[in-house]
């Protein structure tokens, strides 16, 4: 191996260690040391967006909001769609009392990652802060704080339905008895929690002084705000089209209703059948009756396949869910090939349906099958695809831990450490002690394999502390043994 390649590998190792140290120092509350570690890492790789965000968090904790903002913006120069950078920019602006601009970037983040609760909470707290400080939208005066183009309608809105296929069916029966709402009431129902945002934007449009302003990029604020309103109007129209058939059925003539059975009735019957059947399928599998679960799923699938797409618009999603159940049953029965076959069919159907949650489920199941058969490379490949679909801290914790374990088994120790650290950070966010134990042990094992013995001891000790807090005797015993072995590797 050439000397240049060796030097490059050493630099990568140093960079990874600095990033890892920064992450843990931040978790320990040593914010200045953490910021210094991220600064040293950036000296080696000046375009690492995660380092900028990591240091931004440190600055914000220390009360240096302006520096936190600069780092957040630096991460967005590297990747304009980096949602963590958007969140940190919004947080920094909020702490600088630039509530109106914080609101803009919370909205931009929510557009990119609609399932991340932090953006919704940010919107709420920014609006409350603005109301408390200025009383009404008419006194808001935006200053130029970078790009304000949020909620742009850059392409036709393609949004997956907000509820599952079966819930769509059960919803129809409830809505059939409602009176046809007036236009404003319909808009309120369609937009839900975004209705108040729309009213707020409408009030901004009435401020003549405000709408005459321009962004740093030269765009008129009137155009930006109108773009937001257009986006929400498009969403409203789309969701109206997606609403159940019951509103159309109500407007038909009584004679016509007598001649044909309304679709909502059939949909309700299908929903009741599916809910009951899926409960039975899950119950059998949980009780260890995989054969019974599989048989029931196969029977239900035959029934669903006879239904028309008009009767059940979400037929593919339902079939995907049944394939998932059958894959799990086959895995319990020990037939890995058939398990993978059904999980891949689930994956294929969910891609056609554009349902992120179902897609995440299919990728997860495929990864689990590969892990169980020792095919860690394939498991990591599918779990990596799942990362953009995961939003909850607890789900991130076990996913990152699973990926880290795969890489540890593949002797890819740098990647194992990286995902161990990410798992630990997510476990800390979720305040889950047990997963903190697992994550710290993974990092310690990775550091041990990398020859970073002091760091390995540190993480084993952290894991041991969490195990003691949990009063987990078996974990304490195993960690203590590993800790002693790691200490023996320390230079005398």
């Amino acid at each position: 191996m050439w000397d240049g390649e060796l030097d490059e590998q050493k630099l990568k190792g140093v960079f990874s260690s600095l990033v890892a140290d920064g992450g843990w120092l931040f978790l320990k509350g040593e914010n200045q040391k953490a910021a210094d570690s991220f600064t040293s890492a950036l000296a080696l790789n000046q375009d690492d967006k995660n380092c900028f965000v990591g240091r931004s968090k440190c600055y914000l904790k220390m009360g240096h909001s302006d520096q936190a903002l600069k780092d957040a913006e630096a991460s967005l120069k590297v990747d304009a769609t980096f949602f963590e950078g958007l969140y940190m920019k919004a947080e920094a602006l909020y702490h600088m009392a630039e509530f109106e601009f914080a609101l803009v970037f919370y909205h931009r983040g929510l557009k990119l990652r609609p399932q991340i609760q932090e953006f919704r909470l940010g919107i709420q707290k920014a609006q409350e802060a603005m109301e408390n400080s200025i009383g009404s939208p008419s006194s808001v005066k935006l200053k130029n704080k970078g790009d304000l183009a949020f909620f742009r309608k850059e392409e036709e809105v393609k949004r997956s339905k907000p509820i599952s296929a079966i819930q769509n069916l059960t919803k129809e029966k409830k809505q059939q008895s409602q009176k046809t709402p007036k236009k404003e009431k319909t808009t309120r129902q369609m937009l839900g929690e975004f209705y108040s945002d729309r009213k707020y934007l409408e009030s901004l449009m009435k401020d003549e002084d405000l709408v005459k302003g321009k962004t740093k990029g030269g765009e008129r604020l009137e155009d930006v705000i109108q773009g937001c309103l257009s986006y929400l109007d498009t969403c409203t129209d789309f969701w109206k089209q997606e609403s159940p058939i019951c509103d159309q059925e109500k407007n038909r003539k009584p004679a016509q209703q007598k001649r044909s059975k309304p679709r909502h009735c059939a949909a309700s019957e299908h929903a009741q059948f599916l809910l009951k059947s899926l409960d039975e399928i899950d119950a059998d599998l949980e009780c260890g009756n995989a054969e019974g679960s599989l048989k029931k799923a196969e029977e239900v699938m035959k029934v669903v396949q006879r239904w028309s797409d008009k009767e059940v618009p979400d037929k593919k999603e339902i079939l995907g869910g049944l394939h998932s159940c059958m894959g799990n049953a086959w895995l319990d029965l020990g037939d890995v090939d058939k398990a993978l076959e059904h999980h891949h069919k689930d994956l294929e159907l969910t891609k056609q349906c554009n349902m992120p949650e179902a897609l995440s489920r299919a990728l997860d199941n495929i990864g689990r099958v590969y892990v169980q058969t020792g095919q860690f490379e394939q498991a990591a490949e599918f779990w990596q695809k799942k990362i953009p679909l995961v939003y909850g801290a607890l789900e991130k914790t076990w996913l990152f831990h699973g990926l880290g374990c795969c890489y540890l088994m593949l002797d890819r120790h740098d990647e194992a450490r990286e995902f161990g650290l990410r798992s630990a950070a997510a476990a800390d966010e979720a305040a889950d002690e047990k997963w903190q134990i697992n994550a710290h042990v993974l990092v310690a094992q990775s550091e041990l394999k990398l020859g970073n013995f002091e760091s390995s001891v540190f993480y084993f000790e952290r894991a041991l502390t969490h195990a003691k807090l949990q009063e987990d005797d078996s974990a304490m015993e195993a960690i203590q043994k590993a800790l002693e072995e790691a200490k023996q590797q320390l230079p005398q």
Side-chain angles (χ1 to χ4, degrees), residues 54-94:
R55 192 169 66 176
S56 178
K57 292 178 181 179
C58 298
Y59 285 146
L60 199 60
K61 285 285 187 180
M62 292 187 288
H64 305 323
S65 302
D66 54 340
Q67 291 175 279
L69 178 61
K70 288 180 181 178
D71 274 353
E73 290 177 333
S75 76
L76 293 172
K77 286 181 181 179
V78 179
D79 181 358
T81 63
F82 187 38
F83 71 94
E84 292 186 31
L86 285 171
Y87 180 72
M88 286 311 302
K89 182 168 185 176
E91 284 286 280
L93 289 167
Y94 179 84

Side-chain angles (χ1 to χ4, degrees), residues 43-326:
L44 299 175
N45 185 354
Q46 60 183 0
D47 293 325
D48 190 273
K49 61 184 181 182
N50 292 299
C51 278
F52 280 122
V53 164
R55 192 169 66 176
S56 178
K57 292 178 181 179
C58 298
Y59 285 146
L60 199 60
K61 285 285 187 180
M62 292 187 288
H64 305 323
S65 302
D66 54 340
Q67 291 175 279
L69 178 61
K70 288 180 181 178
D71 274 353
E73 290 177 333
S75 76
L76 293 172
K77 286 181 181 179
V78 179
D79 181 358
T81 63
F82 187 38
F83 71 94
E84 292 186 31
L86 285 171
Y87 180 72
M88 286 311 302
K89 182 168 185 176
E91 284 286 280
L93 289 167
Y94 179 84
H95 282 82
M96 294 169 72
E98 299 281 3
F99 304 125
E100 60 271 29
F101 286 102
L103 180 64
V104 167
F105 288 98
Y106 285 131
H107 269 298
R108 286 194 64 190
L110 185 64
K111 179 185 175 183
L112 287 172
R113 291 290 188 273
Q115 296 185 13
I116 294 182
Q117 187 67 17
E118 284 80 358
F119 286 121
R120 297 181 187 276
L121 295 175
I123 290 171
Q124 181 180 348
K125 71 180 183 182
Q127 288 179 339
E128 290 176 352
M130 290 171 67
E131 291 170 3
N132 291 335
S133 61
I134 60 179
S136 67
S138 61
S139 57
V140 176
K141 293 292 179 283
L142 291 174
K143 302 174 185 178
N144 292 328
K145 287 285 182 181
D147 180 19
L148 296 179
F150 66 110
F151 274 158
R152 283 291 189 187
K153 185 187 175 186
E154 298 173 353
E155 57 182 357
E156 181 180 357
V157 179
K158 295 182 180 179
R159 183 185 294 267
S160 59
K161 296 180 182 179
I163 53 179
S164 70
I166 297 173
Q167 287 175 312
N168 269 332
L169 294 173
T170 56
K171 187 179 178 184
E172 294 186 12
K173 185 176 180 180
K174 295 179 181 178
Q175 292 189 343
Q176 190 270 340
S177 62
Q178 296 176 353
K179 294 181 178 180
T180 304
K182 294 181 180 179
K183 183 177 180 181
E184 187 66 17
K185 185 178 179 181
T186 301
T187 302
R188 183 191 294 271
Q189 290 175 335
M190 292 295 107
L191 287 177
E193 61 189 282
F194 291 112
Y195 180 77
S196 59
D197 295 335
R198 193 188 194 290
K199 299 301 289 184
Y200 180 75
L201 290 169
E202 287 176 343
S203 66
L204 291 180
M205 285 293 287
K206 296 176 182 178
D207 191 321
E208 295 180 0
D209 294 330
L210 171 66
V211 297
K212 291 178 182 177
K214 292 186 177 181
T215 70
K216 190 174 181 179
E219 292 180 286
R220 295 192 309 163
L221 289 177
E222 181 179 6
D223 295 336
V224 173
I225 297 171
Q226 187 58 54
C228 302
L229 290 169
S230 298
Y231 172 82
L232 292 174
D233 288 341
T234 303
C235 291
T236 304
D237 294 340
F238 177 80
W239 289 326
K240 282 179 184 177
Q241 294 170 9
E242 291 295 306
S243 62
I245 197 69
C246 55
D247 286 336
Q248 299 174 27
E249 291 287 347
K250 290 187 301 180
N251 296 327
R252 294 183 180 178
K253 295 179 181 180
Q256 186 179 10
Q257 290 180 331
K258 291 178 182 178
R259 287 195 299 267
S260 61
K261 184 178 180 181
R263 189 184 302 175
H264 70 81
C265 295
S268 178
E269 291 172 4
H270 294 331
Q272 292 175 8
F273 167 76
L274 284 170
L275 289 171
K276 181 182 177 183
S277 299
L278 290 174
D279 283 343
E280 292 173 355
I281 292 169
D282 289 338
D284 281 341
L285 197 61
E286 290 175 6
C287 294
N289 183 14
E291 290 184 1
S293 177
L294 178 61
K295 183 179 179 181
K296 184 66 177 177
E298 289 173 341
E299 292 172 352
V300 174
M301 180 168 286
K302 290 178 181 178
V303 174
V304 174
Q305 287 173 335
R306 291 197 296 267
W307 293 344
S308 69
D309 291 336
K310 290 183 178 180
E311 289 178 305
V312 184
D314 302 293
K315 180 178 176 179
K316 288 183 179 179
E317 184 188 345
I318 295 169
L319 289 173
L322 289 169
H323 276 297
S324 178
C325 294
M326 293 164 71

